[in-house]
Structure formats: structure tokens, C-alpha cells
Amino acid sequence: MSKIYDIIIIGAGPAGLAAAIYAGRARLSTLMIEKDAIGGQIVITSEIENYPGGIEHETGQTLINRMLAQSDHFGAERISDTITDVELEGKTKIVKGQKGEYHGKTVIITTGAQPRPIGCPGERELIGKGVSYCATCDANFFEDFEVYVVGGGDSAVEEAMYLAKFARKVTIIHRRDELRAAKSIQERAFANPKIEYMWDSVVEELKGDGILTSMVVKNVKTGELREIEADEEDGTFGVFVFVGFLPNTSIFEGKVHMEGGYIPTDHDMKTNIPGVFAAGDLRVKSLRQVVTAAADGAIATAAAEHYINTLT
């Protein structure tokens, strides 16, 4: 019979790495499984200023490298594999991958979520070079610049108000002729003199050689295309995309309770299945940041250890 780990962690972003650090330090046999590069979405961030205790010129990659070194130091095993199915009921959880089958007393799901992209040409190439999906992370880099917010829901409008604290002008680009955000949020946004609106519009293309310098916007009613170029003195501007998130939870459908693709937990990261925990951006939560993901991972491991101690 294959080894039965105390904890199997699915995903190796900040939540998974924090869970592995705490598990390894607690002398729990731990396996962390990741299908892609270690670190998740944060590795594409070119500068992190708001992670407590971060080093000068911190990047997503440098932070992840240190987390990974800690995880390795405390003896957490890790493997690269793509998970295809899970069996989460019962005392022994089974995680099935393309390369093998893994057994554990507990499972911590940390597969994360990814921002829903615009899907236009140039977007991917300019992530971190003018294109962002996180105002809290990147607003400071656009102080006194012009920025554009794509979206019209609660998150988009709230983030636009946050960005208005830094940028000299914020323009909300929305495909409809009215916002979808709650009326109370709209009222505050409309009262902000730094926020303007581009109605009935979608971003068709983002352009720039190494940095965002212009974008093409289409009016969905008239079909008119308009190219917006960066101010000559600025040389660039910001495009913040808030059109939703896509939780990476499809393989857990029917296996654990979900709400809109996200996994709800209690304050100890427990799901509805005993011995199964969830941490990080795939949780139903109000703030998705590296620091909250790391906290989730630590809490999940503590709860998993307590659960293991109750097993007979």
C-alpha cells in the first residue's frame, strides 16, 4: 500500500506553501502537489510593497523563493503532477494524478483563483507592465498617472474609488450604459470628481513594447474604434481589470460543497467534508491577497493537525 501522508496539499501558491511550512515544522508527513510553476499568480508580480516584513525590492518570485526554501527546510515533500480526481470521503483521502495516486489523512485544497481576463490581444504580454488585476497591489505604482478600470460591478467601482486616491484621473470602462454595482457604491463613485466613465465600451486591444502605451476601445452600440494613447509626459497608463475571478476548483465539483465555484469554509478553513480544508483565493472571502492566503494556509494546517489527533 502507498504511503499515507498526514497532509496532502493540492496547490503550491502562498496558501499551499504556508500550509506546508506549518505542517513540516509540526513534524507532520506532508506532500504538496502542484501542476504548474510553484507560486501561483503572485510570481508574475514585479513588485510587492504590502507584504509584512518583505525585503526591499520584493517581487512575487523572491517572496515565493523564500517560502519554498522554508517549506523544503522543514521537510515537506513536493511533486509536480496534474490532479484528475479526488475521493475525499472516509478516513483516508485519495488524490489521483496523471503520474500516480496519493493517500492522506487530510487534504488542504489551495488551488487558487485567477482573474478573469479581458481576452484581448496584448493583455497577457503587458501584465505587470501596465495591466493589473489588483488595485491594492499596484495602485501605488500609478500615483499621479491616468488609469482605466474595466468592469462595472461592485468590485470594479470600489477598486476605482481606491485607485482615485493615487491616480490623477480614473476612467471606468463599462460595456453597458449603467453600472451594475450596488446603488450605494454608485452614489459614492459618482460623487468623486476624479472618476469619469466610458459607457457602452469594451477594450479591443492593448499595445506597448515592454510597457503599456495605448489601447483600442470599441463602442458596442456604434462599432466605432478609438485608440487611447498615454500622455506624452507619462509614457504609460494603467489598465485595471475587474470582470470577475475564475476559481480553480472544477475537479472538486460534486466532491465538496461550493458556492459559485468557490469553496465556503468556517473560520478554521474546514469544508463540509471532515478532514478536508480549503485555503487561499478559492475560498468564499472578502480579500484575496498574499497575506490572507498565507494566513489561511497556516490556519488550515493547525485545524488539520487537530483533526488528525482525533483519529483512532
Side-chain angles (χ1 to χ4, degrees):
M1 185 176 178
S2 62
K3 178 177 179 178
I4 300 179
Y5 290 90
D6 289 321
I7 297 178
I8 295 177
I9 301 166
I10 305 175
L17 287 164
I21 290 166
Y22 273 73
R25 192 168 183 269
R27 302 296 188 268
L28 298 169
S29 60
T30 305
L31 177 65
M32 182 169 58
I33 307 170
E34 172 59 60
K35 68 175 181 177
D36 296 317
I38 301 291
Q41 291 292 311
I42 194 62
V43 295
I44 66 174
T45 302
S46 59
E47 190 169 356
I48 298 175
E49 292 187 325
N50 58 354
Y51 189 81
I55 62 174
E56 189 177 0
H57 305 304
E58 184 84 278
T59 68
Q61 190 64 66
T62 61
L63 179 59
I64 290 302
N65 287 347
R66 295 204 312 280
M67 287 184 172
L68 182 59
Q70 284 180 287
S71 173
D72 289 345
H73 173 72
F74 288 121
E77 297 179 38
R78 53 188 168 94
I79 190 170
S80 176
D81 199 354
T82 299
I83 304 307
T84 57
D85 195 13
V86 292
E87 296 178 12
L88 301 177
E89 300 284 355
K91 288 187 177 181
T92 300
K93 320 299 182 185
I94 301 173
V95 178
K96 300 177 181 180
Q98 293 179 350
K99 297 178 180 178
E101 188 172 285
Y102 315 97
H103 295 189
K105 298 175 184 177
T106 64
V107 167
I108 302 177
I109 302 170
T110 68
T111 47
Q114 55 189 350
R116 188 186 300 274
I118 299 170
C120 69
E123 178 180 15
R124 183 176 181 82
E125 292 80 2
L126 292 167
I127 293 172
K129 302 169 184 176
V131 176
S132 174
Y133 305 88
C134 178
T136 310
C137 308
D138 297 332
N140 191 55
F141 303 130
F142 292 92
E143 190 160 4
D144 295 327
F145 282 74
E146 291 189 19
V147 302
Y148 295 81
V149 170
V150 181
D154 288 357
S155 294
V157 180
E158 287 178 337
E159 299 289 8
M161 288 189 285
Y162 180 81
L163 285 162
K165 298 176 181 179
F166 300 84
R168 68 170 180 265
K169 184 175 79 169
V170 178
T171 301
I172 295 177
I173 302 174
H174 188 40
R175 63 170 54 248
R176 298 179 178 85
D177 58 6
E178 62 179 6
L179 299 172
R180 294 183 292 107
K183 293 300 181 183
S184 59
I185 299 174
Q186 291 189 41
E187 288 171 3
R188 287 188 288 127
F190 288 138
N192 192 316
K194 293 176 71 174
I195 300 178
E196 299 182 0
Y197 303 87
M198 193 178 297
W199 304 112
D200 303 316
S201 299
V202 295
V203 177
E204 289 283 289
E205 185 177 1
L206 296 165
K207 299 181 180 181
D209 184 10
I211 191 169
L212 178 65
T213 54
S214 73
M215 68 176 169
V216 177
V217 177
K218 177 182 178 181
N219 184 295
V220 296
K221 289 186 175 179
T222 66
E224 178 187 0
L225 295 175
R226 172 189 172 196
E227 184 161 1
I228 298 170
E229 298 184 348
D231 180 275
E232 193 170 309
E233 291 187 7
D234 295 340
T236 188
F237 56 90
V239 171
F240 287 78
V241 183
F242 302 109
V243 291
F245 275 80
L246 300 170
N248 301 317
T249 57
S250 59
I251 64 169
F252 305 108
E253 290 179 4
K255 311 286 185 172
V256 63
H257 177 62
M258 294 188 192
E259 295 178 3
Y262 291 91
I263 300 176
T265 71
D266 68 6
H267 61 276
D268 286 326
M269 308 299 138
K270 296 177 183 176
T271 69
N272 66 309
I273 306 296
V276 178
F277 307 84
D281 288 356
L282 54 72
R283 286 183 58 233
V284 175
K285 60 192 298 186
S286 60
L287 182 64
R288 293 180 172 87
Q289 293 278 281
V290 181
V291 68
T292 60
D296 285 358
I299 294 167
T301 292
E305 182 178 15
H306 182 268
Y307 171 83
I308 292 167
N309 289 338
T310 66
L311 297 175
T312 56

